[in-house]
Amino acid sequence: MSVGDTHDGYPPFQLDSSRFNQVIGMLLPNPTIGKTILWQWMNQSHNACVNYANRNATKPTPMKRFIVGYVGAVSTAVSIAVGISVLIEKAERFSPATKIFIKRFVPFPAVATASTCNVVLMRNSEIPQGIEVFDSNNKPLGSSVVAAKVALFQTALTRMFLPAPILIIPPLIMSLLEKTKLLRTYPKLHLPFNATVCTLTFGCALPVAIALFPQTCKIRVEKMEAEIRGLTTEEYVYCNKGL
């Protein structure tokens, strides 16, 4: 991941290979509790760094906020993933094969919940402080709490949607491929097949999730604070929501 400056203090988001490796790790079949904890910890550590790098850098963010977000996200992800896995193991109505199949989807609720928790904990200081808004000519109009709430809400929704196709589609595809004669005969091919499926899904799903909401939010002036409304005659103001 590389970080640089942008108009509103947000660095651009670039994907690196570590995220891809984490997805493959979380989707490996029949994981142990130890591996579940390891991959969830690695994924949320990566998320915490992404959230910190893509925060609203126009205002200072104390390191305490980063630590709280990191601990909260890791705790949430690990608790949900391990908790669901234990419940599945104790479910007597499920056959062993069914348990293995259901456990493939455990990473999604864990990652979706923890990622949302992560970004909210990391960036909720933006709400009392507000974030910078500007007009269509990029003229700064001041800080807005309304804009901060919109930006945080849209970012949280993006983080909930992002892992859905990545952590749901590959397990479905792999469950079908594992029934083929090729993978039954050559089980060592499971990992490269899994990696290929994850790569294709990742490449298609990530741009869609990032584009769910434009990085530059467009908000009607009538919804803004009185002091912001008095500074422009335009119909909309804009803010950079981050990623």
Side-chain angles (χ1 to χ4, degrees), residues 8-86:
D8 206 24
Y10 290 98
F13 177 92
Q14 292 185 10
L15 182 68
D16 64 278
S17 60
S18 61
R19 171 72 74 187
F20 168 69
N21 294 334
Q22 292 155 23
V23 170
I24 295 177
M26 287 188 290
L27 295 180
L28 290 175
N30 200 25
T32 63
I33 295 298
K35 289 181 179 178
T36 298
I37 294 174
L38 172 65
W39 289 114
Q40 290 294 339
W41 167 70
M42 290 184 64
N43 183 60
Q44 292 308 318
S45 296
H46 186 281
N47 284 344
C49 292
V50 170
N51 288 334
Y52 186 79
N54 289 278
R55 72 196 187 285
N56 187 337
T58 58
K59 296 182 181 296
T61 302
M63 183 56 65
K64 180 181 178 181
R65 180 69 57 186
F66 174 78
I67 296 174
V68 169
Y70 174 72
V71 173
V74 171
S75 301
T76 301
V78 171
S79 299
I80 293 176
V82 172
I84 295 177
S85 297
V86 171

Side-chain angles (χ1 to χ4, degrees), residues 118-155:
N118 195 321
V119 73
V120 171
L121 288 173
M122 291 281 295
R123 293 180 53 182
N124 65 9
S125 61
E126 296 176 14
I127 294 180
Q129 295 178 358
I131 61 174
E132 184 180 294
V133 295
F134 47 93
D135 62 18
S136 59
N137 296 315
N138 289 335
K139 177 185 175 182
L141 300 174
S143 295
S144 168
V145 172
V146 173
K149 291 179 180 179
V150 172
L152 188 58
F153 176 72
Q154 291 186 359
T155 304

Side-chain angles (χ1 to χ4, degrees), residues 23-31 36 40 81 84-85 88-89 96-111 163-179 183 190-191 193-194 197-198:
V23 170
I24 295 177
M26 287 188 290
L27 295 180
L28 290 175
N30 200 25
T36 298
Q40 290 294 339
I84 295 177
S85 297
I88 293 172
E89 285 296 331
T98 302
K99 291 181 180 180
I100 292 175
F101 178 75
I102 296 175
K103 286 175 70 174
R104 290 177 179 270
F105 300 95
V106 169
F108 170 62
V111 170
I166 299 170
L167 296 178
I168 291 178
I169 295 177
L172 288 174
I173 294 176
M174 289 306 301
S175 65
L176 296 175
L177 291 178
E178 287 167 1
K179 297 177 182 179
L183 286 187
H190 186 282
L191 183 57
F193 268 70
N194 190 21
V197 171
C198 288

